[in-house]
Amino acid sequence: MREMANELVEYRHLLLMLTWRDIKLRYKQSVMGFLWAIFMPLLIVGAGILVRFAYSLSSSQQMSMTDLASVSLKSLPWAFFVSAIKFSTNSLVGNSNLVTKIYFPREVLPTAAVLASLFDAAIASSVIVVVLIFAKIGISIYVLWMPVLLLLTLIFTVAAALFLSCANLFFRDVKYLVDALLTFGIFFTPVFYEARMLGKWAPLVLLNPLGTLLEAMSDVVVRHHAPSYPWLLYAACWAIPGLLISWRIFERAEASFAELV
Amino acid sequence: MGEVALEFDHVWKKFRKGEVHDSLRDLIPALTRSLLSHNDEQKLHEREFWALEDVSFQVKRGEAFGVIGANGAGKSTTLKLLSRILQPNRGTITTYGRLSALIEVGAGFHPDLTGRENVYLNGAILGMTRQEVARKFDEIVAFAGIGDFIDTPVKRYSSGMYARLGFSVAAHVDPAVLLVDEVLSVGDMQFQQKCLERMRGIVRQGVTVVFVSHNLQAVQMLCNRVLYLKGGQIASLGTTSEVLSEYLSKASASSASRYDTLIDKVILADAEGHPRAEFAPGDNATLRLTIFPSEPIQECLLGFLILRATDGMPVCDYNIPLRFAGPLTPDGRGPVSLAIDLDMNLLRGTYAVSLHIYHSQTARFLSRADRVANFFVNETISWQGVSHVNPRIHLRSPVPGAKES
């Protein structure tokens, strides 16, 4: 753990430069530039509102502002997770010229991909904040949970990014698997819907740690009550030991990266 | 001085031929196989080969160490092991101090980024901080000679500009140990010369340099010691002159003659007649040779060439008539023994002698013998060049012509 931190501190310049490179590259030669960072979450919000509208029609319940706020809030971390995983899965293979030619801790590559997506999410979050204010959902003390929830989401994403980028280096199948999972993952994650809408089956979607975290965010920001602590603990168990384990796997596999990439 | 900067201790490295299982479908049989047969890292398996076998050497602090050998001899593998890109299967590698490796010029450049952005990025990859790059930025750009193009994406650069910028960044890193793989082959002659000057400057500053190259002249100019690899094993390790002449004589030994007249038993000896390969500038030497003529050679010219072996530059090329007062041999037939006396007015370098017999009336070669003798000249008086003109300096004061006032 300490070794990990040391390495990150030593190579922080490189990490920042690579993050900055990924951000720049994403919007090179594009007319809209950083507006694309807002586009993806907005699309998800739009789709979510449509789904909720259809649901309200069929169940003859009025669609509330709370629903709209909840969908908007949850779509942002989801968009971040999708883009971070998509970019980082390919980060080692896509930078094979670096991997085979220059030595540096390879953890930097998937981590930089995640951080570049985080930058996008930060831009988009300004829009979401505006939506939340517009929806007049108010604020409560529970919003202080938000930094913890965001940090856990970030840690979980980095853990998945390290594992998947490394797995993709050995087996290119991983890329296709990840693409499929990310496309359909939105149905297995409570983004468009709330876990409680599933009634007694709710724990099923909460088993997905990302689902737990999204629900908790919706709880503390939109519904103004404390998150479910057991489930939060469950998500933390995925994130923190998950990071340690996938880092360990990554370090072990690192030696053979240059040969097998 | 004398302190070890890099150490290779009985290093073995194997690679695999053919494709590695790349998808899940291939993985399952591979896994079962490796479970059934105990996978031993240190032994060779099917389709594997040793890229390096039991290689050991040390590089001292401040030394310029060359690595030469044919393609596939393990030079780049050695460098990648030193820079920790690869891990050895057996043996240990120890490095002391900040190490910067230049395995390929412009590795890590991204085509869509501008020259400026790539300089910062590549600097970070090579271990520099942003401030360090910012401080050296103007110097880097000036050295590369990129000028106004620095804000153009590098994908629009010519390959020469790309390579120049790549070298320039790497040459400004200031490491304790610099590993360089065949980078002087980029750019035009002028830039190559500039690179070489820069490398010498780095060596002079006391940076330990490991230099892999096919440019033997550059190796000769830069390195104190050289490792000659052949098929993954050490063929020879020692001072630059020794190793280079061994490498060059091995490289030329295989050329067989297709002429009827043979030139044989070529021996280079010193003034006392002892065979020798090492000379000092101004030494007297004798080249002894025997010709086995297939026809009378009185009408012929003996071609006598000296080349700089490292780059093939002709140092001299004489055509000496084989006309003597008496008969060549007592009975006018059979082998002819000759001796050529010469003065070694040459500077430091590795040289080769080529001989031929040319029949001028029919305009054909009766025999050719390329690089039949190799020798090297050692001295510490010159910086570069080939010809020893022996300059001597005198003080002439008072200045002639200057009037005493």
Side-chain angles (χ1 to χ4, degrees):
Chain A
M1 186 77 178
R2 169 160 300 176
E3 206 181 310
M4 255 159 60
N6 280 347
E7 221 168 36
L8 266 190
V9 170
E10 199 188 329
Y11 285 90
R12 65 188 185 283
H13 292 289
L14 182 58
L15 180 62
L16 289 178
M17 285 308 280
L18 284 172
T19 307
W20 168 86
R21 177 194 76 161
D22 285 349
I23 293 166
K24 277 218 152 177
L25 282 178
R26 212 169 285 187
Y27 304 114
K28 276 265 165 173
Q29 284 196 6
S30 76
V31 181
M32 279 176 56
F34 289 118
L35 286 178
W36 284 114
I38 303 167
F39 179 76
M40 188 61 180
L42 277 187
L43 204 65
I44 297 179
V45 171
I49 290 170
L50 187 69
V51 168
R52 292 305 281 270
F53 181 63
Y55 174 79
S56 70
L57 286 184
S58 64
S59 65
S60 63
Q61 279 176 356
Q62 192 65 40
M63 191 173 85
S64 68
M65 250 353 192
T66 325
D67 295 338
L68 191 147
S70 172
V71 168
S72 317
L73 178 73
K74 290 191 291 189
S75 68
L76 183 65
W78 174 254
F80 157 71
F81 183 78
V82 169
S83 103
I85 294 302
K86 206 178 265 177
F87 279 105
S88 58
T89 299
N90 210 30
S91 63
L92 290 177
V93 175
N95 287 301
S96 60
N97 63 331
L98 285 183
V99 173
T100 56
K101 298 282 158 48
I102 298 171
Y103 174 79
F104 56 89
R106 279 68 170 90
E107 290 91 332
V108 169
L109 286 170
T111 313
V114 172
L115 290 185
S117 298
L118 188 65
F119 176 83
D120 280 2
I123 292 180
S125 68
S126 58
V127 179
I128 300 301
V129 167
V130 172
V131 170
L132 293 182
I133 293 168
F134 174 75
K136 296 198 184 81
I137 45 114
I139 196 161
S140 70
I141 187 77
Y142 297 110
V143 88
L144 291 177
W145 270 104
M146 209 48 193
V148 178
L149 296 175
L150 289 175
L151 191 66
L152 282 177
T153 311
L154 181 63
I155 291 173
F156 177 68
T157 311
V158 172
L162 285 175
F163 177 76
L164 291 173
S165 62
C166 164
N168 187 47
L169 189 143
F170 294 107
F171 312 107
R172 299 294 146 87
D173 319 51
V174 171
K175 188 172 56 195
Y176 303 111
L177 193 67
V178 165
D179 265 354
L181 286 179
L182 289 179
T183 309
F184 295 103
I186 198 156
F187 298 109
F188 300 102
T189 314
V191 181
F192 293 162
Y193 57 90
E194 314 294 329
R196 64 189 154 74
M197 288 158 100
L198 291 171
K200 65 169 178 161
W201 299 105
L204 219 54
V205 291
L206 291 177
L207 279 177
N208 171 357
L210 204 61
T212 314
L213 287 167
L214 291 182
E215 280 299 287
M217 286 182 200
S218 169
D219 280 343
V220 300
V221 176
V222 179
R223 271 183 284 280
H224 307 304
H225 61 74
S228 150
Y229 296 117
W231 281 112
L232 195 59
L233 192 68
Y234 168 77
C237 281
W238 270 94
I240 294 162
L243 181 65
L244 293 177
I245 291 166
S246 67
W247 198 301
R248 179 53 59 83
I249 294 173
F250 195 95
E251 294 245 291
R252 287 219 150 172
E254 206 175 346
S256 53
F257 281 0
E259 272 170 74
L260 296 173
V261 67
Chain B
M1 284 297 174
E3 216 181 315
V4 177
L6 298 169
E7 189 168 12
F8 244 56
D9 189 18
H10 299 285
V11 170
W12 298 66
K13 179 69 193 170
K14 67 182 175 187
F15 285 129
R16 194 192 296 250
K17 284 178 214 167
E19 280 210 83
V20 186
H21 51 77
D22 233 359
S23 61
L24 285 171
R25 189 192 50 188
D26 306 327
L27 173 69
I28 294 145
L31 272 184
T32 15
R33 224 179 303 129
S34 69
L35 281 177
L36 289 174
S37 62
H38 184 63
N39 195 356
D40 190 354
E41 265 284 286
Q42 309 208 332
K43 288 212 183 96
L44 272 192
H45 298 281
E46 202 193 341
R47 296 192 302 157
E48 287 181 336
F49 67 97
W50 290 114
L52 283 182
E53 282 180 68
D54 201 17
V55 173
S56 302
F57 62 86
Q58 283 187 342
V59 181
K60 301 268 191 307
R61 198 156 289 283
E63 192 173 43
F65 187 81
V67 182
I68 58 171
N71 286 327
K75 304 186 298 293
S76 295
T77 306
T78 305
L79 223 55
K80 285 188 176 182
L81 284 165
L82 279 174
S83 63
R84 296 197 287 168
I85 294 170
L86 296 177
Q87 298 288 325
N89 294 100
R90 250 196 270 177
T92 51
I93 297 162
T94 327
T95 61
Y96 306 91
R98 168 158 129 171
L99 186 140
S100 171
L102 187 53
I103 305 288
E104 192 184 290
V105 167
F109 271 15
H110 198 287
D112 284 333
L113 295 176
T114 68
R116 181 185 303 273
E117 289 161 344
N118 268 313
V119 167
Y120 278 97
L121 177 67
N122 213 31
I125 291 170
L126 294 171
M128 284 196 276
T129 64
R130 214 189 144 75
Q131 292 85 334
E132 252 182 292
V133 182
R135 207 169 53 236
K136 292 178 185 161
F137 186 80
D138 291 336
E139 212 181 314
I140 291 171
V141 177
F143 185 85
I146 297 292
D148 295 342
F149 290 96
I150 193 66
D151 287 313
T152 308
V154 296
K155 63 183 169 187
R156 313 229 188 279
Y157 279 22
S158 73
S159 52
M161 285 162 77
Y162 191 90
R164 268 166 18 220
L165 192 61
F167 181 86
S168 186
V169 177
H172 288 81
V173 175
D174 282 347
V177 181
L178 181 67
L179 310 177
V180 183
D181 190 356
E182 200 61 88
V183 290
L184 297 178
S185 52
V186 303
D188 50 21
M189 283 297 283
Q190 206 189 341
F191 188 72
Q192 284 188 22
Q193 200 58 38
K194 216 165 142 186
C195 291
L196 204 57
E197 285 302 322
R198 178 82 199 176
M199 295 275 298
R200 280 175 152 187
I202 292 170
V203 172
R204 225 175 10 227
Q205 282 163 23
V207 175
T208 312
V209 175
V210 178
F211 182 57
V212 169
S213 185
H214 290 290
N215 182 345
L216 297 177
Q217 189 53 36
V219 172
Q220 170 93 53
M221 283 172 81
L222 276 174
C223 302
N224 318 111
R225 284 204 309 142
V226 172
L227 167 69
Y228 167 24
L229 285 174
K230 196 174 181 187
Q233 291 167 321
I234 294 184
S236 126
L237 173 64
T239 64
T240 305
S241 310
E242 284 167 15
V243 177
L244 278 185
S245 62
E246 191 183 330
Y247 175 67
L248 291 163
S249 62
K250 274 196 181 147
S252 61
S254 53
S255 56
S257 176
R258 53 192 169 82
Y259 296 95
D260 295 333
T261 297
L262 284 181
I263 300 175
D264 202 11
K265 297 181 184 162
V266 183
I267 292 161
L268 190 64
D270 59 14
E272 281 82 47
H274 306 300
R276 238 167 89 173
E278 182 176 355
F279 295 89
D283 276 1
N284 299 109
T286 302
L287 187 78
R288 296 198 295 260
L289 62 135
T290 305
I291 301 170
F292 296 86
S294 59
E295 48 196 289
I297 55 166
Q298 277 82 349
E299 304 281 296
C300 292
L301 299 170
L302 176 71
F304 171 73
L305 263 97
I306 296 179
L307 308 166
R308 183 155 72 181
T310 44
D311 60 356
M313 187 184 81
V315 173
C316 62
D317 185 350
Y318 298 98
N319 282 303
I320 311 162
L322 288 174
R323 223 174 284 124
F324 300 95
L328 289 173
T329 50
D331 58 352
R333 287 187 287 171
V336 181
S337 284
L338 297 173
I340 305 170
D341 291 328
L342 56 137
D343 303 326
M344 290 291 183
N345 288 328
L346 295 170
L347 293 176
R348 187 178 58 250
T350 307
Y351 300 92
V353 178
S354 290
L355 299 167
H356 63 247
I357 297 168
Y358 182 69
H359 193 257
S360 39
Q361 274 160 1
T362 54
R364 66 200 168 97
F365 289 100
L366 296 186
S367 181
R368 290 183 87 140
D370 282 337
R371 301 186 182 221
V372 278
N374 289 280
F375 64 95
F376 54 93
V377 176
N378 255 339
E379 44 86 6
T380 51
I381 49 177
S382 80
W383 191 226
Q384 58 177 0
V386 279
S387 183
H388 178 57
V389 299
N390 198 15
R392 294 164 297 274
I393 189 162
H394 306 282
L395 189 61
R396 295 180 65 206
S397 50
V399 180
K403 280 185 183 156
E404 286 171 58
S405 53

